């Protein structure tokens, strides 16, 4: 059902995005991957997608904090593959600090990458989806789109913003065969989580083990990290025709975190 469709997954050189891009490719979809990192390592990941699954894979180095580069990424993908059928707005960064010390440039950067980038990509991709009367937009939000944690003001604000953007665009596109949903993972073991451990140790005065057990997994009733494969499988289902009635939904995949 997904074979031959074309996807753009932002922030897919690592973590959740890479798992989603590979899962889509495994279903026969052509993918555009995006994100930062070592050029040779990114090229190796791109080539591995083609080799493993026999689909086409392209790389866009567009910076998700730059509106013009985001629009160009969508235009390039449409030109290369003929369409952008599935758009996954996944790129995201984190910064942990008390609000009164929160660096101004970190606030601006997080709002740009975690929120505004999704708007720019959606704005560029929706005309083609409307014309073809089919599209899937999946925004990687977070449990932090539904609940807050201290010291993450920019991230929580951006993720709550993504929830509002998701619902709004879902209403605007509902009669065009397009669905727009937000996936809300709890803690997934990826470089993003690993990197915030030293910052959280500093902000809360805790050891590494205390941060993992008492801060991260304390919120998650299963006491297990969510896996990137679980998030990717969910993103695959949302792209299918069976998921056509799921739209405007803010969907937790968080081991019960937001049930509390
Ligand atoms: P990650 O650090 O492994 O991956 C982030 C990706 O975004 C990388 O490919 C990186 O290069 C890319 N990126 C960062 N800044 C960019 C920019 N300016 N332009 C283009 N690409 C950029 O992190 P992850 O954990 O896989 O996070 C992916 C998404 O999932 C984020 O939106 C994050 O907020 C969300 N999320 C993660 C968790 C978790 O526990 N890991 C939980 C909930 C939500």
């Amino acid at each position: 059902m997904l074979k031959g469709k074309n996807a753009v997954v932002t922030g897919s050189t690592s973590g959740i995005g890479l798992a989603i891009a590979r899962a889509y490719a495994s279903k026969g979809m052509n993918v555009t991957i995006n994100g930062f990192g070592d050029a040779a390592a990114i090229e190796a990941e791109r080539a591995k997608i083609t080799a493993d699954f026999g689909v086409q894979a392209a790389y866009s180095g567009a910076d998700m904090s730059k509106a013009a580069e985001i629009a160009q990424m969508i235009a390039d993908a449409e030109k290369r593959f003929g369409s952008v059928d599935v758009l996954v707005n996944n790129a995201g960064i984190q910064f942990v600090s008390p609000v009164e010390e929160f660096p101004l440039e970190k606030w601006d950067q997080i709002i740009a990458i975690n929120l505004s980038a999704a708007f720019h990509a959606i704005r560029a991709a929706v005309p083609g989806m409307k014309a073809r009367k089919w599209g899937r937009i999946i925004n990687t939000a977070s449990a932090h789109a539904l609940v807050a944690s201290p010291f993450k003001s920019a991230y929580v604000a951006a993720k709550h913003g993504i929830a509002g953007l998701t619902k709004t665009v879902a209403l605007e596109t509902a009669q065009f065969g397009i669905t727009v949903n937000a996936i809300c993972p709890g803690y997934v073991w990826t470089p993003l989580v690993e990197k915030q451990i030293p910052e959280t140790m500093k902000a809360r005065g805790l050891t590494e083990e205390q941060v993992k057990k008492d801060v991260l997994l304390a919120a998650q009733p299963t006491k297990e990290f969510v896996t990137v494969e679980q998030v990717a499988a969910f993103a695959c289902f949302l792209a299918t025709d069976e998921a056509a009635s799921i739209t405007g939904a803010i969907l937790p995949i968080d081991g019960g975190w937001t049930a509390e």
Side-chain angles (χ1 to χ4, degrees), residues 97-102:
S97 160
V99 68
E100 66 274 27
E101 290 163 23
F102 213 93

Side-chain angles (χ1 to χ4, degrees), residues 133-208:
K133 296 248 186 305
W134 199 93
R136 294 285 184 270
I137 298 171
I138 296 163
N139 299 318
T140 307
S142 164
H144 283 125
L146 296 159
V147 296
S149 298
F151 311 120
K152 296 183 176 177
S153 51
Y155 188 87
V156 173
K159 295 298 187 183
H160 276 64
I162 278 285
L165 177 67
T166 299
K167 293 181 200 177
T168 307
V169 182
L171 297 181
E172 291 182 32
T173 58
Q175 293 178 41
F176 291 88
I178 300 169
T179 70
V180 189
N181 292 293
I183 292 181
C184 300
Y187 283 104
V188 189
W189 189 253
T190 69
L192 181 140
V193 168
E194 217 174 332
K195 270 187 257 165
Q196 66 185 276
I197 286 177
E199 292 165 13
T200 309
M201 286 165 67
K202 192 166 155 234
R204 296 188 184 234
L206 299 175
T207 66
E208 183 174 338

Side-chain angles (χ1 to χ4, degrees), residues 26-114:
S26 78
K27 306 282 181 200
M29 294 169 73
N30 302 311
V31 292
T32 298
I33 60 168
N34 157 262
F36 296 154
D38 173 69
I42 294 171
E43 173 49 25
E45 284 295 355
R46 189 207 62 74
K48 193 166 174 346
I49 291 173
T50 299
D52 287 351
F53 306 115
V55 298
Q56 293 184 67
Y59 167 67
S60 162
D63 181 342
M64 291 300 109
S65 66
K66 307 229 161 68
E69 292 188 25
I70 298 167
Q72 192 61 48
M73 172 187 69
I74 299 295
D76 289 347
E78 284 179 336
K79 195 162 168 221
R80 184 187 302 263
F81 295 123
S83 62
V84 173
D85 306 301
V86 179
L87 168 65
V88 183
N89 292 303
N90 172 80
I93 58 166
Q94 174 64 284
F95 192 81
V96 182
S97 160
V99 68
E100 66 274 27
E101 290 163 23
F102 213 93
L104 300 186
E105 69 278 7
K106 285 288 174 199
W107 171 273
D108 288 343
Q109 206 186 3
I110 289 176
I111 298 300
I113 296 167
N114 294 19

